[in-house]
Each structure stands twice: as C-alpha cells, then as structure tokens.
Amino acid sequence: SHSYVGPDYSVQKNTGKISLEQIDALAVKSFPLCMRQLHKALRDNHHLRHGGRMQYGLFLKGIGLTLEQALEFWKKEFIRGKVDADKFDKGYAYSIRHSYGKEGKRTDYTPYSCMKIIMSNPPSQGDYHGCPFRHSDPELLKQKLQSYKIPPSGITQILELVKGMHYQLACQKYFELTHDVDDIGFSLNHPNQYFTESQRLLSGGRELKKELNNSGNSQQKSNSQESMNSNSTPTSSSTTADAELEGLEAYFTED
C-alpha cells in the first residue's frame, strides 16, 4: 500500500535545458521545500553529507541537469569549502557518475519520491535531507516559512496539516501559497512532480489550472489511496527503493 506508482522521472526529457546559472532562481520559485532547504544548505556550507547529496543530486538529475553539469555544479561548490579539486575528483566524482549510470552496475538511478523521503533515512545532526514537514521541529518550520514570506494564516494551515501528519498535503498547501493558487489540481507525491507542475504553471499562467484538473484526474484517482496512506506516519516501509539504491549508497559513505 506504500508503493510509489507514479512517474520515476528517470527519463530526462529536459536534459540540458536547465543551466547552472538558473538553479538559484529556480530554487526559490519552483523547488519544493525539501530541495530548497538542501540547496540553501549547500550554498551556505559548501558541502552536504551523503544523505543530502543523494536526495538533492538525484532531484537535479530529474529536472534535467546533465552529468557534465552535475560534476561542475558540485565541484564548484565543494571547492569553495574544505574540499580541494583533487579530493573532489577522487572522493566524490565517481559517486556522481555512478548515480547517472556511468559506473558500477550502470543503473539509471531515479529521484526519490515523497514517500521514500518521508519513510526512510531520517536526518540526524548536521543533515539537511528529509522532508521538512515530517522531520523539522514545528517551531523551526514556522520560522523557516516566515523567512520565506508565507502569510501567517498559511503557516497556521500548514502547521495544522503537519500536526495531523498530513505531510504531503502540507507541501501542497506550500505550493498553493507560493504560487498564489487556490487549488493545485493534482495529488502531490514527488519532488520532481512539484518542480514540473510549478514550471508549467509559471509558464502557462492561471488558465492552466483547468487543464491540470482535466489531465490530472486519472493520476489523482490512481494515487488517491496512496496519498491517504502516505500522508500519515507509516507503520511499515517499502524496502524496494532502498534495495534499488543500496549500490549507490555504498559510494556515498564519505561525509
């Protein structure tokens, strides 16, 4: 009942259409809160621990970053911190190529769904991955939302959904508040879906909502039960995704 059955976002139809110069702006307007948080942490600290690198790196791959762009993006940021170019090439570049299916078993690893982020590998001290609605202290979440200019009434709505353990619905509310729409017209279950729908909405204007409602009906129906299940704290987790990524995680052991 907790299996993710939506698109896996491994087919990069937009490969190369995202430039590195766009990422900072896209993070503000079209990234879900989990990825916006990871991007800010990377820019601030010039480093992410392995959980963050995996969650954010596969998301960037899914929105269209090529392998060459990914290597440039991570290397530039890491060498601004405590990692020199040689250490990056020896310790980190392989794992990035591996995530793009160019090393090891040549598996084309897919970006994490909301369910995987919520249900597995919770963040610990010094980590920035995970779901902010699931894993953040409510007061810290409130402060973060205030800093992102979310209106007080909207913050109250989000915190009520979080209190009820409806984490994906809280993220949907965040989408509505940051895009100034009353109803997003689809069931949110993947960070890359959030990005895709945000870009579509921002490029297509308000009339898109009707189109989304029509085209999203079948997906919404098929995911409705899944959404209900995954919007509460699960009692068991699917091991399929964990097994799939086991090989990749082995190469992300260095902090």
Side-chain angles (χ1 to χ4, degrees), residues 12-201:
Q12 296 187 65
K13 297 177 181 178
N14 297 316
T15 299
K17 291 185 179 180
I18 301 294
S19 71
L20 297 181
E21 292 72 26
Q22 291 176 288
I23 293 179
D24 287 318
L26 289 172
V28 172
K29 65 183 183 180
S30 287
F31 281 16
L33 190 57
C34 59
M35 301 305 172
R36 187 174 182 180
Q37 174 176 283
L38 282 164
H39 181 75
K40 185 178 188 302
L42 178 61
R43 290 299 199 207
D44 289 347
N45 304 322
H46 315 302
H47 189 271
L48 285 175
R49 297 177 69 181
H50 75 274
R53 295 198 302 273
M54 291 184 68
Q55 182 175 320
Y56 190 39
L58 290 173
F59 169 80
L60 291 175
K61 173 188 174 185
I63 69 172
L65 222 61
T66 65
L67 172 58
E68 292 71 24
Q69 286 175 314
L71 288 167
E72 181 183 350
F73 173 75
W74 290 99
K75 186 172 185 175
K76 276 186 175 180
E77 201 59 54
F78 271 45
I79 62 177
R80 292 178 65 192
K82 298 179 180 179
V83 177
D84 61 35
D86 186 58
K87 182 179 179 181
F88 180 89
D89 290 339
K90 291 179 178 178
Y92 298 95
Y94 180 92
S95 60
I96 295 171
R97 292 196 301 272
H98 194 275
S99 69
Y100 275 77
K102 302 302 181 184
E103 301 285 357
K105 295 181 179 179
R106 310 281 173 169
T107 302
D108 183 20
Y109 293 98
T110 59
Y112 291 176
S113 68
C114 294
M115 215 178 312
K116 177 170 175 59
I117 293 170
I118 290 169
M119 292 168 64
S120 62
N121 190 26
S124 56
Q125 188 71 29
D127 285 328
Y128 295 92
H129 66 272
C131 170
F133 303 106
R134 168 66 179 91
H135 298 115
S136 292
D137 175 83
E139 186 57 37
L140 293 177
L141 176 61
K142 179 180 178 180
Q143 293 173 15
K144 186 188 296 290
L145 294 171
Q146 288 172 335
S147 72
Y148 290 161
K149 310 301 182 188
I150 303 298
S153 60
I155 293 176
T156 299
Q157 288 177 292
I158 288 174
L159 292 177
E160 279 299 309
L161 288 166
V162 168
K163 186 177 179 181
M165 298 183 291
H166 301 299
Y167 308 119
Q168 289 166 250
L169 293 179
C171 193
Q172 287 184 197
K173 178 57 66 176
Y174 174 79
F175 185 108
E176 291 166 3
L177 292 165
T178 53
H179 291 76
D180 193 27
V181 294
D182 296 327
D183 181 6
I184 60 176
F186 59 89
S187 295
L188 179 63
N189 49 42
H190 202 295
N192 289 80
Q193 176 197 22
Y194 183 110
F195 176 82
T196 299
E197 299 294 355
S198 171
Q199 286 289 286
R200 189 182 297 172
L201 182 63

